[in-house]
Amino acid sequence: MSSSIETVLQETRVFPPSAEFVRQANIPGMETYRRMVAEAERDFEGFWARLARETLLWSKPFSKVLDETRAPFFRWFYDGELNASYNCLDRHLKTQPDKVAIIFEADDGKVTKITYRELHREVCRFANALKGMGIKPADRVLVYMPMSIQVVVAMQACARIGATHSVVFGGFSAKSVQERIIDAEAIAVITADGQFRGGKEIALKPVVDEALAMGGCEAIRNVIVYKRSGSAVPMSAGRDRWWDDAVKGQGDTCEPASVNAEHPLFILYTSGSTGKPKGIQHSTAGYLLWCMLTMKWVFDHKPSDVFWCTADVGWVTGHSYITYGPLAVGATEVMFEGVPTYPDAGRFWKIIQDHKVNVFYTAPTAIRSLIKAGGDLPKKYDLSSLRILGTVGEPINPEAWIWYHETVGGGRCPIVDTWWQTETGGHLISPLPGATPTKPGSATLPLPGIFADIVDETGQPVGRGKGGILVITRPWPSMLRTIWGDAERYKKTYWPDDFKGKLYLAGDGASTDEEGYFRIVGRIDDVLNVSGHRLGTMEIESALVAHKALVAEAAVVGRPDELTGEAVCAFVVLKGARPTGAEAKKIADELRNWVAKEIGPIAKPKDIRFGDNLPKTRSGKIMRRLLRSIAKGEEIKQDVSTLENPAILDQLKQPM
């Protein structure tokens, strides 16, 4: 049985950047890219040292670059000192104090703008308030807030005084909040009375109260509440205070704490293959450096750009490409509170039109749902300001890529299909819009300084044109430093003994083509072994979605099968109404034959299940582990509190 993943879906279309785009690009042409890659290969430490000195402002310059003596616990620039908030705000006060930093559009359409000078003042006031509460460098502060300017202020204020923030997505349950408070040993919580999504108010402060009442959170001395919804919420005397009261009378300046390059900037929890969430710990210097470089390289940042990342700050994408990266390079960025389909499916396109967005960064799931909601809708809006489109969070299927390119980008905007993780801090494999010829569905090539490979289960490279396990072979500055409070789990999860502890295990399957382009085929645990053939679920999903007349969205998982070892189970959302009875059976057979034609009979789904939607978290991620449980016929025991529409679970239990 082969240990490499078979890649059977071929994509041959290539889209080189236009000569016009290349001329203005920060990294112009493949020759420049290859020169940078060669520099990193020739002088690895010198390459990173040069970039760190050119890019970051240091309060104490570093003389040491990389410490590998305690690998895999790497240290970067480890005798230097700096402050993340100073690098994001103060550095712009002399050059562009009145430039708009954030354009915030609320769920109801209200727009608020804040300049760099104003944002600096708000951050300083809030930082002084935190210091007044006795919060010190290295203390942990939990942030549970809506999308708002204030959440950026909260994170930046923590960074300013050297406190380590841990942001929890505003859709998580009280139990999730409690677990993270306990694990991070947080001493304060910053929250809001509520938030708005799709015209509905969602409570936040009551969730925090419930979490604290569960026990184990006795270390929480302060809860600061931002008034967003205006709803009445209980306030505990001596512990809770309103944001406005906390900042009243505070000074407009706050000296930024000079912290070591390795100082933990934040802890962000991500789900693991076992139940307990992992507290991913990121450093200050290495993380910030990479946020800035990827803004300049991948998004080709220009001072005149309006940048919009649609992610929530509760996820790493919101940390890197809302709170830190755009501000550190002095960008104007859009922040959005709501959902893409409220009050109608044209909301994203209207925002791009209204704010003249130049760089648009969103998730494939959002793209696919917008195709379903109105594939021709973008044509009704003026999207001529767009110059770069990006995707993040999961592999994008080629058909959605083409729609994005043609319908949203008018065929003129390069697409940067970025592969990275919470753990990597920023993009690792991505096209450079002014250099890389792109291929639909491919993340293309590693960025300069990033060394990626594909190996088999023993850690041996599989060679070009084959599939296997994606690994990173050299450390990089923005990598996670450890799992908070669990160094052993960090080693076991990311630097396994199978690879002699020398390779970073990304947890994704991938393949390369003859040109060395990477195609991510899904999580390793999303790789199916059907009759000895290993197939990436992403490829089958792409084949299903390629049936444009019928299919809006698809997710594929495996389930145990007596005959073949594993069977392919497909969950499908159709463009029309959800079928039942004989009609459902007829469509299911049509789709099976379609997959057999697109990929081969081995990939034919044994089960096809239809639903009005797929189960997603409120941030839009498909809950694949939940689908695996449904496919196996297991009782649902996992937390479904973040599920947008629980009613679809029953629909998806009916196989065809």
Side-chain angles (χ1 to χ4, degrees):
M1 191 176 5
S2 163
S3 65
S4 68
I5 298 167
E6 292 178 31
T7 182
V8 283
L9 192 69
Q10 299 300 320
E11 178 55 63
T12 54
R13 293 167 287 189
V14 179
F15 296 80
S18 69
E20 186 186 357
F21 197 100
V22 174
R23 270 196 298 277
Q24 62 81 60
N26 295 340
I27 297 182
M30 285 302 282
E31 195 179 318
T32 310
Y33 164 76
R34 289 191 193 100
R35 201 162 51 242
M36 292 169 76
V37 170
E39 182 194 349
E41 282 174 345
R42 191 174 58 250
D43 180 9
F44 186 69
E45 287 195 21
F47 172 81
W48 287 114
R50 173 179 70 77
L51 289 168
R53 289 191 180 106
E54 288 172 2
T55 309
L56 295 171
L57 298 178
W58 297 85
S59 49
K60 180 191 168 201
F62 64 90
S63 62
K64 310 267 198 287
V65 183
L66 173 61
D67 174 15
E68 300 185 74
T69 55
R70 292 178 57 244
F73 299 95
F74 300 98
R75 296 190 298 163
W76 284 91
F77 322 117
Y78 53 101
D79 62 345
E81 291 181 6
L82 74 171
N83 182 275
S85 175
Y86 183 89
N87 272 273
C88 290
L89 302 174
D90 304 58
R91 69 185 304 158
H92 307 303
L93 293 183
K94 282 184 183 155
T95 56
Q96 49 174 41
D98 298 318
K99 182 177 181 177
V100 172
I102 300 172
I103 304 166
F104 173 66
E105 183 164 321
D107 188 64
D108 64 4
K110 188 182 173 198
V111 173
T112 310
K113 298 181 180 182
I114 189 167
T115 66
Y116 275 92
R117 190 198 313 269
E118 291 163 341
L119 185 58
H120 174 264
R121 186 173 65 229
E122 293 301 315
V123 167
C124 286
R125 284 177 179 169
F126 196 66
N128 286 328
L130 295 178
K131 281 204 294 193
M133 294 171 197
I135 295 168
K136 306 182 300 299
D139 283 342
R140 273 78 61 202
V141 176
L142 190 111
V143 179
Y144 184 66
M145 288 189 78
M147 287 293 283
S148 57
I149 289 169
Q150 283 70 25
V151 72
V152 173
V153 169
M155 293 164 79
Q156 287 279 347
C158 289
R160 197 163 191 87
I161 64 172
T164 300
H165 59 70
S166 184
V167 182
V168 179
F169 171 60
F172 276 134
S173 63
K175 182 80 182 125
S176 299
V177 173
Q178 180 231 19
E179 286 171 352
R180 286 156 175 75
I181 288 171
I182 294 170
D183 193 76
E185 299 169 286
I187 65 162
V189 176
I190 306 169
T191 187
D193 46 5
Q195 61 183 344
F196 292 96
R197 291 181 65 83
K200 298 188 188 93
E201 185 184 333
I202 300 160
L204 290 174
K205 171 66 165 53
V207 177
V208 171
D209 289 338
E210 190 185 335
L212 297 180
M214 288 174 176
C217 305
E218 289 73 26
I220 298 291
R221 297 194 298 268
N222 291 285
V223 176
I224 304 148
V225 187
Y226 168 62
K227 196 171 279 189
R228 170 69 188 97
S229 67
S231 292
V233 292
M235 299 289 279
S236 173
R239 185 195 71 186
D240 302 352
R241 70 188 78 183
W242 291 105
W243 177 297
D244 288 350
D245 294 339
V247 297
K248 201 175 280 174
Q250 299 290 351
D252 290 353
T253 59
C254 174
E255 194 60 28
S258 184
V259 300
N260 184 272
E262 282 296 304
H263 179 80
L265 178 62
F266 65 87
I267 302 161
L268 185 56
Y269 287 86
T270 183
S271 55
S273 48
T274 60
K276 190 183 178 216
K278 301 178 293 211
I280 304 301
Q281 181 185 318
H282 275 290
S283 74
T284 299
Y287 169 78
L288 193 63
L289 170 66
W290 198 231
C291 288
M292 293 179 73
L293 290 175
T294 48
M295 282 296 300
K296 292 173 182 177
W297 294 356
V298 176
F299 295 126
D300 192 52
H301 174 68
K302 301 287 187 281
S304 58
D305 278 347
V306 175
F307 175 83
W308 182 23
C309 165
T310 67
D312 190 287
V313 287
W315 311 112
V316 75
T317 305
H319 282 55
S320 302
Y321 301 110
I322 295 176
T323 300
Y324 289 108
L327 297 177
V329 298
T332 294
E333 60 172 323
V334 173
M335 269 186 91
F336 175 51
E337 181 181 33
V339 295
T341 50
Y342 176 82
D344 56 57
R347 185 69 184 271
F348 269 15
W349 319 129
K350 187 173 183 310
I351 291 175
I352 293 169
Q353 173 182 274
D354 290 356
H355 303 301
K356 297 188 168 42
V357 171
N358 307 110
V359 181
F360 178 58
Y361 191 39
T362 196
T365 298
I367 294 164
R368 289 192 293 266
S369 68
L370 289 164
I371 295 172
K372 191 189 181 202
D376 288 330
L377 258 182
K379 293 172 182 170
K380 295 180 181 172
Y381 296 84
D382 179 4
L383 307 183
S384 60
S385 60
L386 288 171
R387 66 183 197 92
I388 294 174
L389 300 173
T391 75
V392 58
E394 57 189 307
I396 182 167
N397 50 292
E399 292 309 321
W401 192 102
I402 292 290
W403 178 86
Y404 197 31
H405 183 260
E406 290 175 359
T407 309
V408 180
R412 68 181 187 283
C413 300
I415 293 181
V416 289
D417 174 0
T418 60
W419 177 83
W420 61 298
Q421 305 172 304
T422 304
E423 294 87 344
T424 70
H427 313 138
L428 292 198
I429 303 173
S430 170
L432 295 165
T436 319
T438 51
K439 297 178 184 178
S442 168
T444 70
L445 297 164
L447 294 175
I450 303 300
F451 294 90
D453 203 353
I454 295 175
V455 299
D456 62 19
E457 279 96 338
T458 64
Q460 293 305 305
V462 299
R464 281 195 180 174
K466 295 191 177 143
I469 299 161
L470 178 60
V471 293
I472 310 297
T473 61
R474 296 288 322 255
W476 67 101
S478 68
M479 64 193 295
L480 78 162
R481 295 306 194 257
T482 187
I483 292 173
W484 178 261
D486 200 340
E488 207 44 51
R489 189 180 181 192
Y490 164 73
K491 281 198 316 198
K492 209 163 111 188
T493 305
Y494 300 106
W495 305 90
D497 289 341
D498 292 351
F499 301 159
K500 301 183 177 58
K502 301 287 188 197
L503 302 173
Y504 169 83
L505 174 66
D508 279 332
S511 64
T512 52
D513 62 16
E514 293 307 321
E515 289 164 292
Y517 275 39
F518 285 76
R519 185 182 294 277
I520 312 301
V521 294
R523 299 291 298 169
I524 294 170
D525 50 12
D526 286 340
V527 172
L528 311 184
N529 194 329
V530 182
S531 303
H533 297 265
R534 298 183 67 187
L535 300 166
T537 56
M538 182 61 204
E539 295 193 295
I540 306 170
E541 289 172 12
S542 290
L544 284 161
V545 174
H547 196 310
K548 289 192 235 178
L550 282 177
V551 178
E553 198 169 17
V556 169
V557 299
R559 64 162 177 78
D561 184 272
E562 280 181 12
L563 187 63
T564 57
E566 216 168 6
V568 176
C569 181
F571 297 87
V572 176
V573 180
L574 296 179
K575 287 184 173 171
R578 179 171 58 88
T580 54
E583 189 195 7
K585 190 174 178 320
K586 180 172 165 267
I587 293 173
D589 287 342
E590 185 178 341
L591 292 176
R592 283 190 187 96
N593 295 333
W594 172 269
V595 171
K597 182 170 87 51
E598 288 282 295
I599 295 180
I602 193 68
K604 271 172 84 163
K606 193 156 188 179
D607 292 352
I608 292 184
R609 301 162 185 236
F610 298 104
D612 292 332
N613 308 101
L614 294 176
K616 293 171 189 170
T617 63
R618 292 194 192 115
S619 71
K621 269 208 166 172
I622 296 170
M623 299 172 79
R624 292 177 191 275
R625 268 189 292 170
L626 184 61
L627 291 178
R628 280 194 279 274
S629 296
I630 293 171
K632 290 174 187 170
E634 297 171 348
E635 189 187 332
I636 306 296
K637 289 181 179 168
Q638 68 189 84
D639 181 16
V640 291
S641 63
T642 61
L643 192 60
E644 197 85 80
N645 175 12
I648 57 174
L649 297 182
D650 286 331
Q651 296 172 10
L652 297 172
K653 286 174 182 172
Q654 311 303 317
M656 285 294 142

